[in-house]
């Protein structure tokens, strides 16, 4: 019988436990941090285009507000459930703390397959969900952003619903919104750009010349597509790319720009000229220098980790590697750069967007990009050095550094009342 794969919430708590044990924290601190500070479940009645009524479920979880307002994306996926949202919210807390962005962590989700709904239906879902969670969100309390299955249009509807209810425009209520209503230049590509900054640093610091490296990217959405493009632009040979329908492979390297054009016209990577079809799961087991999982949680687990041959894994997705897989990869000498560091580019530029919105003063794209690079590389150096000094994995080091910052905030603020 196949062992059950751990859930994202179990994974998040396992990593928190390891960090609080290493830091010698009081068990009460683990108890505080393993639970969310506020959770809201809402019912979303939707009038479908055929006039029938369907009731969906939505969540908003604020894991921590110890270091600032809660911050995190909104996910539309049929797999969304409260425990998944709790895990994703906790990871946002660590990500913001590690990158020293003055936020706590949050996440939202609606259990829906957005591809089965029209744009008008998605607009109604988004507006109803936004008004249902309005009591707990705000530019000073909790700021949503896009995640899997949502995009800048979703953010525009959220911003409009919130603003119409308040009676004036409040751009800083969401980040990742269109430029025309206060979005930041560079936000759309920021997560992918950050992933590749970290990948290049990790390759170089481990003695690889990126222009002689091969890469495989799982996922061709908001993160994977840009990561494949930036890796290609940096001179890497991207030999395989997948999406939820399958994968394509070319040992001589894929032309990512042409693949992007193919996806724009067909909606899938499969069928791309100049590449062979590959099983999506097989992509994770290719013999490449760099593997970027950029889709969803738990894709590298106890069962397939023994077959992974990549030299370095840089996590574009949140939680793609389970703790059991981590142990196997570590014993094989595979370097894993954790999500809370590798994919933090998105929330860094979200922070820049929020700052710009609050000040009503917009920055040049070059300014956004240079500040993003500076923060990503600064955090890389810090995590890398701390891992060496304390003989920890990169994930262990990143989690300890992040948890330590949040614990410090709790201790100095004291326990209310
Ligand atoms: N959903 C993204 C993440 O998981 C972005 C969150 C944000 O910008 O608030 O990091």
């Amino acid at each position: 019988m196949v062992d059950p794969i751990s859930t994202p919430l179990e994974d998040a708590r396992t990593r928190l436990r390891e960090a609080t044990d290493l830091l010698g924290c009081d068990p009460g601190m683990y108890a505080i941090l393993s639970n969310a500070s506020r959770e809201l479940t809402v019912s979303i009645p939707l009038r479908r285009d055929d006039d029938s009524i369907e009731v969906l479920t939505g969540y908003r979880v604020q894991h921590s507000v110890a270091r600032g307002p809660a911050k995190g994306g909104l996910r539309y996926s049929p797999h969304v459930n409260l425990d998944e949202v709790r895990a994703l919210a906790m990871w946002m807390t660590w990500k913001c703390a590690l990158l020293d962005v003055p936020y706590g962590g949050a996440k939202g989700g609606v259990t829906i397959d957005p591809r089965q709904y029209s744009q008008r239906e998605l607009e109604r879902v988004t507006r109803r969900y936004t008004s249902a969670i309005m009591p707990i969100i705000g530019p000073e309390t909790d700021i949503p952003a896009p995640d899997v299955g949502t995009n800048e249009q979703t953010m525009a509807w959220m911003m409009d619903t919130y603003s119409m209810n308040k009676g004036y425009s409040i751009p800083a209520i969401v980040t990742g919104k269109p430029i025309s209503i206060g979005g930041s230049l560079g936000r759309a590509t920021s997560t992918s750009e950050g992933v590749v900054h970290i990948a290049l640093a990790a390759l170089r610091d481990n003695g690889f010349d990126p222009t002689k490296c091969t890469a495989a990217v799982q996922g061709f959405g908001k993160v994977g597509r840009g990561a494949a493009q930036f890796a290609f632009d940096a001179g890497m040979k991207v030999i395989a790319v997948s999406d939820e329908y399958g994968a394509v492979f070319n040992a001589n390297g894929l032309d990512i720009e042409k693949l992007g054009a193919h996806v724009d016209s067909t909606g899938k990577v499969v069928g791309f000229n100049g590449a062979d079809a590959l099983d999506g799961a097989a992509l994770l087991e290719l013999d490449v220098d760099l593997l970027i999982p950029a889709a969803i949680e738990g894709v590298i687990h106890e069962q397939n980790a023994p077959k992974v041959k990549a030299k370095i894994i840089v996590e574009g997705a949140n939680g793609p590697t389970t703790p059991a897989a981590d142990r196997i990869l570590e014993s094989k000498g595979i370097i894993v750069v954790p999500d809370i560091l590798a994919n933090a580019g998105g929330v860094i530029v979200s922070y820049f967007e929020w700052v710009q919105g609050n000040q009503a003063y917009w920055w040049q794209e070059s300014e956004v990009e240079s500040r993003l690079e500076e923060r990503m590389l600064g955090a890389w150096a810090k995590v890398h050095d701390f891992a060496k000094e304390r003989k920890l994995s990169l994930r262990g080091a990143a989690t300890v550094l992040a948890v330590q910052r949040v614990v410090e905030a709790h201790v100095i603020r004291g326990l209310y009342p």
Side-chain angles (χ1 to χ4, degrees):
M1 200 188 92
V2 177
D3 291 335
I5 294 165
S6 52
T7 68
L9 185 60
E10 287 165 353
D11 295 357
R13 287 182 171 154
T14 302
R15 267 125 192 193
L16 170 64
R17 171 72 78 188
E18 286 164 4
T20 49
D21 283 354
L22 249 152
L23 288 165
C25 290
D26 184 289
M29 189 55 78
Y30 171 79
I32 292 174
L33 297 176
S34 61
N35 290 293
S37 81
R38 181 149 67 167
E39 306 181 338
L40 182 60
T41 299
V42 297
S43 170
I44 308 166
L46 163 71
R47 189 178 299 282
R48 302 270 333 232
D49 290 340
D50 66 4
D51 239 11
S52 64
I53 289 175
E54 190 179 312
V55 181
L56 303 164
T57 306
Y59 309 95
R60 186 73 189 170
V61 173
Q62 296 165 353
H63 171 257
S64 168
V65 288
R67 300 182 74 254
K71 182 84 188 84
L74 167 63
R75 176 172 293 201
Y76 284 179
S77 147
H79 309 293
V80 162
N81 60 64
L82 183 54
D83 273 356
E84 183 195 42
V85 181
R86 286 172 169 151
L88 292 163
M90 193 190 296
W91 285 323
M92 284 307 300
T93 301
W94 312 142
K95 199 185 296 187
C96 294
L98 182 66
L99 274 294
D100 209 8
V101 168
Y103 295 133
K107 204 76 169 199
V110 176
T111 314
I112 183 175
D113 181 354
R115 287 161 310 183
Q116 308 303 325
Y117 292 78
S118 71
Q119 279 298 101
R120 294 178 47 189
E121 289 171 330
L122 291 174
E123 176 172 355
R124 290 196 286 275
V125 168
T126 304
R127 290 187 182 278
R128 183 63 186 248
Y129 168 76
T130 306
S131 63
I133 64 162
M134 258 191 67
I136 66 162
I137 60 167
E140 281 145 9
T141 47
D142 180 358
I143 307 116
D147 196 80
V148 174
T150 59
N151 53 32
E152 55 174 43
Q153 176 61 75
T154 323
M155 295 304 112
W157 291 327
M158 289 192 94
M159 181 271 195
D160 185 67
T161 304
Y162 189 84
S163 299
M164 292 311 284
N165 277 278
K166 294 287 172 188
Y168 56 101
S169 285
I170 307 173
I173 175 60
V174 288
T175 59
K177 54 191 173 290
I179 307 284
S180 55
I181 54 168
S184 177
L185 293 168
R187 173 63 181 87
T189 51
S190 55
T191 311
S192 326
E193 217 171 311
V195 165
V196 175
H197 283 317
I198 294 290
L200 293 174
L203 287 166
R204 289 199 192 100
D205 284 357
N206 285 286
F208 292 90
D209 172 355
T211 62
K212 298 200 171 75
C213 286
T214 54
V217 181
Q218 185 205 30
F220 206 65
K222 279 192 288 291
V223 182
R225 181 171 176 166
Q229 185 68 55
F230 286 120
F232 176 79
D233 293 345
M236 270 183 246
K237 211 191 269 182
V238 182
I239 63 167
V241 165
S242 68
D243 59 21
E244 61 203 294
Y245 308 106
V248 286
F249 172 84
N250 184 335
N252 298 317
L254 299 159
D255 183 327
I256 301 301
E257 221 151 290
K258 287 195 181 138
L259 177 61
H262 166 82
V263 170
D264 287 339
S265 62
T266 66
K268 302 175 179 167
V269 296
V270 287
F272 177 54
N273 230 336
D276 296 322
L278 180 77
D279 177 51
L283 176 139
L284 298 170
E285 297 164 16
L286 288 173
D287 189 357
V288 283
D289 300 306
L290 173 67
L291 172 64
I292 303 180
I296 52 163
E297 311 92 67
V299 294
I300 304 175
H301 44 73
E302 205 166 0
Q303 274 90 49
N304 63 2
K307 294 181 234 150
V308 171
K309 294 175 209 67
K311 316 270 185 313
I312 298 185
I313 299 175
V314 176
E315 296 183 335
N318 291 312
T321 314
T322 67
D326 260 344
R327 285 190 285 277
I328 297 167
L329 298 173
E330 199 170 350
S331 71
K332 293 173 66 166
I334 297 173
I335 296 162
V336 181
V337 187
D339 46 6
I340 58 170
L341 169 62
N343 72 29
V347 77
I348 291 175
V349 179
S350 275
Y351 166 49
F352 298 161
E353 180 175 330
W354 179 76
V355 167
Q356 293 170 78
N358 284 328
Q359 299 185 337
Y361 182 79
W362 275 267
W363 308 352
Q364 305 279 341
E365 188 159 5
S366 55
E367 192 172 351
V368 171
E369 280 177 1
S370 62
R371 289 189 191 209
L372 167 66
E373 182 174 9
E374 188 186 310
R375 276 190 184 247
M376 293 299 293
L377 296 183
W380 162 257
K382 209 167 176 141
V383 170
H384 182 253
D385 294 352
F386 189 68
K388 268 215 162 112
E389 184 191 314
R390 300 283 293 266
K391 297 195 169 40
L392 293 169
S393 65
L394 291 170
R395 190 186 317 279
T399 312
V400 167
L401 285 168
V403 171
Q404 190 172 30
R405 285 202 173 134
V406 179
V407 168
E408 253 172 58
H410 272 280
V411 170
I412 200 88
R413 285 178 65 156
L415 190 58
Y416 180 84

